[in-house]
Amino acid sequence: MLNDLKAWQAQRHAELSAPDSWLGMIGLFWLSPGANQVGCHEGAAIQLPDGPEKLGDVIWQGDTLLWQPVVGAAQSLRTDLAGPPSVIDHQNLSFFVVDRDGQLAVRLRDRTWAASRPFGGLAYFDEDPAWRITADWLELSPPLDMAVPNVSGDLLPVTVTHKAVFLVAGQPVELLPMSVGEQEVFFVFRDRTSGKSSYGAGRFLKTKPAVDGKICLDFNYAYNPPCAFTAFATCPLPPAENWLGFPVAAGEQKPVDRHD
């Protein structure tokens, strides 16, 4: 398992040091219905750090989302709601639209960010087989409806149909998933290392789906959310039910690099 973990850590390093890393984010701009100007003009809705005063407009009208550049034809834009969003490039900059519960925002990225501040890497707790836990996957009847906060203070409605139940030091522990898909199950949690040796707002964990009423929670693969690296992310926070009353000394530690 050590080789698998090292390969995963190398992949994490490659993702975070790439041109499209979260560390390259330089802006998050919430859109209003109608035309939203993109440019370096002080009145632009999407502020560019340099370039033309007006590069174009992001036009949001009902279910229609368009990019209308000053020069060239308009084009339809996809948000990230159902998959990868459309990306608009301008020199070293790129931007795309994200959908957060019906509210749209433009994320602005500098793809040359690493030239001035290269990624310094991540620190990890030592691999510990004790944190590779096989938990019971129990159905909730009725399902639990929760309002999960994010770092922006907004609430995201989540319906939870199952819970993972396991023992730590002989005591029963429950962990609620934030989403359950055909390929993976997604958890958000915090523990007694949060704000000390790990990121204060908590960490993410993805697992394979449950099989025969069992699910494997390998906390050695716990990782920092995007908001650990940039202020321009809208990460979910762990619900109170996922605040663990003990330290989970496994997975990624608190990151050193953060770009705001």
Side-chain angles (χ1 to χ4, degrees):
M1 296 298 291
L2 180 59
N3 289 338
D4 291 342
L5 183 62
K6 291 297 184 183
W8 175 79
Q9 292 173 354
Q11 181 182 9
R12 282 282 292 163
H13 183 95
E15 290 172 354
L16 289 167
S17 58
D20 59 353
S21 164
W22 283 102
L23 290 161
M25 289 295 175
I26 59 173
L28 176 69
F29 305 94
W30 294 97
L31 301 180
S32 300
N36 297 263
Q37 182 176 324
V38 180
C40 70
H41 185 273
E42 64 180 13
I46 296 96
Q47 285 277 335
L48 302 182
D50 51 42
E53 288 201 351
K54 182 175 182 178
L55 184 65
D57 292 298
V58 174
I59 303 172
W60 178 18
Q61 294 180 329
D63 294 332
T64 302
L65 190 63
L66 298 173
W67 165 240
Q68 176 60 71
V70 171
V71 178
Q75 67 179 85
S76 297
L77 294 178
R78 297 184 310 276
T79 71
D80 68 341
L81 186 61
S86 306
V87 178
I88 302 299
D89 295 320
H90 173 68
Q91 297 177 359
N92 62 303
L93 302 175
S94 65
F95 65 85
F96 54 94
V97 181
V98 298
D99 185 321
R100 295 297 174 265
D101 198 27
Q103 299 298 310
L104 303 186
V106 163
R107 281 206 176 111
L108 180 64
R109 172 181 282 133
D110 177 4
R111 296 192 305 275
T112 60
W113 65 272
S116 59
R117 188 176 173 183
F119 178 49
L122 291 165
Y124 293 89
F125 294 100
D126 291 338
E127 183 179 23
D128 187 347
W131 287 112
R132 190 175 301 116
I133 297 171
T134 298
D136 294 322
W137 188 240
L138 303 181
E139 184 176 2
L140 295 176
S141 183
L144 176 64
D145 292 322
M146 297 193 304
V148 177
N150 65 19
V151 294
S152 300
D154 299 319
L155 296 176
L156 175 68
V158 174
T159 298
V160 183
T161 61
H162 290 75
K163 62 182 178 181
V165 180
F166 53 100
L167 296 178
V168 173
Q171 299 299 312
V173 179
E174 298 182 357
L175 202 62
L176 300 179
M178 296 299 95
S179 65
V180 178
E182 294 183 0
Q183 302 299 319
E184 65 184 24
V185 181
F186 175 58
F187 297 90
V188 184
F189 74 95
R190 65 176 296 166
D191 63 276
R192 288 296 179 90
T193 71
S194 301
K196 299 172 184 176
S197 50
S198 70
Y199 181 56
R203 287 180 287 171
F204 290 175
L205 179 67
K206 291 181 179 178
T207 75
K208 293 182 179 179
V211 177
D212 297 331
K214 301 290 185 180
I215 190 167
C216 180
L217 306 176
D218 193 341
F219 289 95
N220 294 286
Y221 289 84
Y223 64 99
N224 293 307
C227 56
F229 302 99
T230 176
F232 307 119
T234 53
C235 303
L237 296 172
E241 291 86 347
N242 285 3
W243 286 33
L244 306 179
F246 48 84
V248 179
E252 287 184 4
Q253 296 182 341
K254 184 187 299 184
V256 175
D257 283 346
R258 180 180 170 90
H259 292 194
D260 294 335

